[in-house]
Structure formats: structure tokens, C-alpha cells
Amino acid sequence: MKKYLFLILLLLSVCAFADDGSRLWLKYDLLSDAQQRETYTKATQFVAANSLHPTIKVAVQELEMGLKGLLGKAPALLQTATTKSGGIILNVAPNSPSNLPLDGFELFSEKGNVVISSKSEAGVLYGVFELLRHLQTGKSLTNLSVKSSPKIKLRMLNHWDNANGTVERGYAGSSMWKWNELPFRIDPRYITYARANASLGINATSINNVNASSRFLTEEYLEKIKAVADVLRPYGIKVFISVNFRSPRTLGGLKTSDPLDPEVRKWWNEKTKDIHRYIPDFGGYLVKANSEGEPGPQDYGRTHADGANMLAEAMRPFSGIVIWRAFVYNADPKGDRFKEGYAQFKPLDGTFDPKVIVQVKNGPIDFMPREPFHPMFGAFPKTTLGIEFQITQEYLGQSTHLTYLAPMFKECLDTDTYAKGKSTTVAKIVDGSAENHLLSLMAGVANTGSDVNWCGHPFNQSNWYAFGRLAWDYTLSSEQIATEWTRMTLTQKPQSMQKITDIMLKSHPIYVSYTYPLGTSHMMGEGHHYGPEPWLTKAARPDWTSIYYHRADSVGLGFDRTGKVSNALQLYSPEVQQLWGNPEKCPLDYLLWFHHVPWTQKLSTGRTLWDELCHRYYDGVGKVVKLQSAWESVKSDIDKETFEDVKGRLKIQEKEALWWRDACVLYFGEFSKLPIPKPLVPPIRTLKDVKKLTEIYHLR
Ligand code: GCV
């Protein structure tokens, strides 16, 4: 009997430690260093707040939960200000002379207490999360002096979640929003979601797909959305709705959705008032119009500005805004998709209502693993431009490849547009400082779903985390963000933390190496966008094929955008043109975005284009193998369930990296007519074999 009891206890202890990832980076597990716990405990014996605002209530709750978990001892809760020391004071100070903006906060030591002060309740909440992050990452609380404020005003997640529970480009199960249960049942995960976002300073969310169903504007759905908004509000998060431009027809029974039609305008005015009856602090509308078959103002001979301004007018009595996407492109086989957004929007610069933000993807095509920055950044001085990144990994390994995206986000944000002289980085356009815009927006297409660990691949959580941290402060380094996340999520052991940070920092270049080296793009499987299909010649639109992008022929590879074919380079400032315009000097990572380079052309590496291409594909695969051994080396410091999960996915990654490599070198070899350079060993399968792997997806 004793033997069984022991076994049961052992099993229970294993279960107690099994980590399913559901707590994200807000684990609050007991800190392993007893001395550190003692020091922290002395400094956090109580929490006193000067406000009973719902946001302060959740801030206090968070502290209670966090400290109890991390230190094993919950703080005493004091209702009012105190003369005691050794605790945490939450101070909402709307009239403070401090020059911090509303969402900013200060964290400092005063009279033996830790003070968290802000002009707003949300600012105090952000300060609470900063303090908890201090403890989670083992920082000292002595002589605290932190001042922090967001660089971007609207820090937003865009969910591509549908009313039927599916998620467009979602790789972590079905939608986290249970529309069939709302408004009656509130899934507790909504609160975890709100906490996670608030911990990063994310303050807005659009809850449905930009390929929007009008349904989200019906009374039935507004009641559901209101229930979600009520949960998110205390966490400082505003709700936006993606709208279908045809709604006046589909819902209102009107004959048109023409934005200049008085009846249509009236319909939107009424609808907007209606929404505010449910959600008084409604964030606003997000619109995908005249893009990929979605309806829009151009259906009536009107412009994007006509459409956006009509919605802005409806929003005028309220605090909300209109976010209008610039992701538009016509199916022109002779044109260059790269230039489309710019071309359609450029004549409209200066005509948008001040309540409109034009949301531009980071690159001109579509969230490719590496894209040059979108040429609209820096070229629209009279329009507020927001940036849209994709956190969900549609083209970046979905849920099976470990790819940490902070370096990719930063690469774009840190690039100089030279729009107003040197150092006018994309970040400075986006934060509004370059052109003195009042609004600013960084949006990320969410990677959340119903999977117990939220994001599918355990490491995909780090991309949600990184997006939020960078939206708050894009000057943080990728390394700092990776280390923070690792320590809060995976392990407190310094050596393993270091190794995991290293894995994360290497992961994006590795991914690019075995999928899209040297500035190639858009060669993925048709429709599902999974795996390679560089041979894709026919699709519903010419610009959905692969050959449209890589332009492989007997001479070479790459899309000439220097003038002979598309002249897209001219959309950039002269300095950027200089950087990318000369094939001899263009950084190799961007080379084939702008140049059609002969197979036998010598590159700066000393290899020919063909040899370099092959080397990069092979190198990428080799490095995935190294990622596996690096992961193996942290085994003893990682929760078993998480360890095995990542290990399994790394094996898939290796298999698929090989798939990409073989597909691309075999396919491009048909054009270059050159052998795989020695000492690389040619693939053992044929191009026909590899093609079959993709064909399977199209079988019915
Ligand atoms: C929501 C890409 C994706 C689409 C997505 C679109 C967009 O084309 O494949 O699924 O649609 O981008 O951003 O609107």
C-alpha cells in the first residue's frame, strides 16, 4: 500500500508541475532563489491604492496573484493611503505635473515603499506589470527609478476570427471567441487574454476578420461584442470591429453602399450610434475595402478616402476612429503588385479625415519572411500611417517552425526611409514624430486560438509578447525581449536562458535561409500557404502564382525593379534607391527583390548566384539540425511537456526545411542548368517526387 501511496504522490507532483502553456508568460511560479524571495517579500508586504476604479481593482488583483505565486506570500491589501513602509503604493495622479503621457508610468522608491504612479488608471496597471516583470526577471527593487511611456498610441491586435469559429490564417485551433456562448457565458480565457495584453501595454483589439461578415454589426452580435468589451475594459483595452463595406445593403436593405449616398451615410451614422449604446467607449472600425474581392467604395466609382471619411463622419460625435487598410492590389499580370498600394493611395495623401489612420503592411507584398519596408512609409506626409505586422506565421512556418519574429519586426522599424533626412526610420514615421501626427498605430495580426497554449507552437507565444513589447517601445532589443520572455515562460536557469535566447535570435535568419534566401519571395503552396511551390504557374490570379515573383529563367533569378521592368525602386527616396538600386552593392538579403541576377554572376561572398543560393538552402537545413541539439542541451531545465512539444516540432521543422531546400534547388536547377556545387550533396529525391508532396493538398 505504502508503495502505491508513494507512486500516487510522485504522479501528483509530476502533474502539478506539468506546464500546458495556458498561463503564457504570466506564470508567477515560485522564484527559486530563497534569498531573493525574502528581499522581495520585505519590499512588498502590502498594497495600498488611492482609487477604487475597476482598472485599479484588477491591478491589485494582479499584484496579489503575482506576489503570492512568485514569493509564496500574498501582500496585505490596504484600502487607503498609508504611512507604513515596506509596501507598494498605487497612485493615480491625473493632475501630476509629470510630463509623462496618459499611459506612461513611474516606478520609484519613496519612504521605504515602491510607488507606481501614473496620470491614468491604465498607466498604473502597466506599472504593476512592469513591477511584476522586475520580480519575474530577478531585477533589484532597491532605489527604483523607472519612467516609461509608450512610443505608439494605439497598440493593437487584429484578430482574423470568423463568426463560425474558424480563424483565417490561424494555426492554434479555432477562434478563442465563443460566439455561440456569448453574451451569456464568459470564457475565463478572455480574462487571461486581457491580462496578457495589458502586461505588454496592448490597448486595442479588433475582434473579427478583416474579410468581414456584416453579421458583426447586427444587434445579436453587438450584444456579444459588448460582453467581450466589458471584460476587456478594466484592462484598458478598447474593442474595434472589422466591417463589411456592403453592410448598408446586406443589413440595411439599401440599394447601394455608395459612400456619397445620403441614405448610406445616414445608415452608418445610425449604426455607429447604435454600437455606442452597447459599447460607449467603442474603439472604431477597421476596414479592408476593394482588396481580394472585398467590397469597397471603388465599386461605386469612389475613392478610399470617400469611404474612410464617410465612416469618420459617423464617428465624429464619439472618441473612436477609422482604420483603413492600404493592402490593395489589382490582378494585372503586366504590373507590379509592389507598387499598387502606393499608386492607389498617393493621390489621396492629405484628403483623409483626421480621424482616419491608413494601416499599411510592413512590406509592399504580403508579410513575406523578409520584405523591404513598404514604400508608403515616408511618402505620405499628410496622412497618418499605421503599421501592420503579422504575428500569426502564415508565411513563417505556421505552427511547426520555431521562428522568433522580433528581429524581423525591428529590421523594418529600424530601416531609414530618409524621408526627412537621415534617421527618419520607419519607426519614426509610425510613431507620428516625423510628421507631427497626433495618432499613431502599430497593429499585429493575432496568433491566438483555442489551443490550450494559445498559439500552437510554444515559441509562437514569444511573437505575441515581442509584438506587444515593441509596440510599447520599439527601441528594446530583440535579445532583451527574448531573454525576458524565456525567463518568464521557460526557465530561470541562466545557462539555459542564454542558450534559448541564442536559439531564438538565430531562428529567423535560419528560416529565411531554407525558404526565401537572397530576397526571393512568395513561393509557397497555393491557398494554404504551407510548404514550397515555386513551380506554381497558374492560379486564380497571376499575382498569386510563384513565377510572378521569382521570375526564374535561363539567364537568372529575381524581379528587376530598377526601371527596366517595374521601376518600383523609384518609390523610395534617393538614398534608399542608392542602397538597393545597384546589384553590386545591394545587401544580399534584399538582392532578388530588386534585381534579376544572372546565375553565374559573382556575388560579394565570392560565390556565383547559383552557388550562393544552394549554399543558403543547405546551410539553413544544417542549422535546423543544430537548433535541435541546442534545444536538447536545455532539457533538464525545461518543463517536460513543453520540452517534448518543442522537440517534436523541431523534427517537423527539419523535415520541412529539407522539403523547401529540395523543392527550390531542384526547381531552380532546371533553369540554371548547373549542378549542386560541391561539397553539397544533391537531393536524393527528384523534382517530381517533391512536387507530389504539394499535390496531395489539392486532392479531393
Ligand atoms: C485576411 C493575405 C492572406 C489573407 C488575408 C490578406 C489580408 O492575402 O493570405 O488570408 O486576408 O492577406 O491581409 O487581408
Side-chain angles (χ1 to χ4, degrees), residues 25-26 28 40 70 105 126-139 148 196 198-201 465 469 472 476 480 484-485 487-488:
W25 46 90
L26 301 174
Y28 303 145
Y40 286 157
L70 291 163
F105 62 83
Y126 299 145
V128 161
F129 279 110
E130 178 73 35
L131 177 66
L132 286 167
R133 191 159 38 237
H134 257 64
L135 267 55
Q136 286 172 286
T137 55
K139 286 192 186 150
S148 182
S199 78
L200 307 170
Y465 185 85
R469 293 291 278 144
W472 182 273
L476 294 175
Q480 176 185 336
E484 263 176 27
W485 176 82
R487 171 143 188 175
M488 293 191 282

Side-chain angles (χ1 to χ4, degrees), residues 160 168-169 211 288 292 325 327 361 366 394 529:
W160 286 357
E168 181 151 351
R169 311 305 176 188
N211 292 333
K288 171 176 178 178
E292 300 186 329
R325 295 175 90 227
F327 177 65
K361 286 191 181 182
D366 189 6
E394 177 177 359
H529 295 178

